[in-house]
Amino acid sequence: MTSVSRPGTGPEDSPEPSPKPLKDEIAESRPRDGRRLDPATFEVRLRRWALLLLIAGPVIWFLVQQVR
């Protein structure tokens, strides 16, 4: 019994170039001047901080109440 490979699955059939290393992609996504933030990136960071504070605030309050 021989194994048959499906068409388009071989390395020579790949039309896409190999992916870049993650360091290169991160470096390309950063702004060149280092200070300007994309509004979408700023919104995501702001939402993450808000969520962190929304969760951490009551947890810290609860722990302080338990220590007293």
Side-chain angles (χ1 to χ4, degrees):
M1 178 173 196
T2 61
S3 66
V4 178
S5 65
R6 292 174 287 175
T9 58
E12 66 278 349
D13 296 331
S14 176
E16 299 177 13
S18 62
K20 296 179 182 178
L22 188 57
K23 277 187 186 176
D24 295 342
E25 288 187 25
I26 292 172
E28 286 179 1
S29 69
R30 289 190 178 147
R32 296 292 175 215
D33 59 0
R35 293 201 180 249
R36 295 176 44 110
L37 273 179
D38 180 34
T41 305
F42 178 73
E43 182 182 357
V44 167
R45 288 184 182 177
L46 185 65
R47 286 180 184 231
R48 285 181 182 165
W49 274 105
L51 183 61
L52 176 70
L53 292 175
L54 184 68
I55 293 170
V59 168
I60 292 170
W61 179 81
F62 177 75
L63 292 174
V64 167
Q65 294 300 318
Q66 292 298 319
V67 170
R68 285 187 183 183

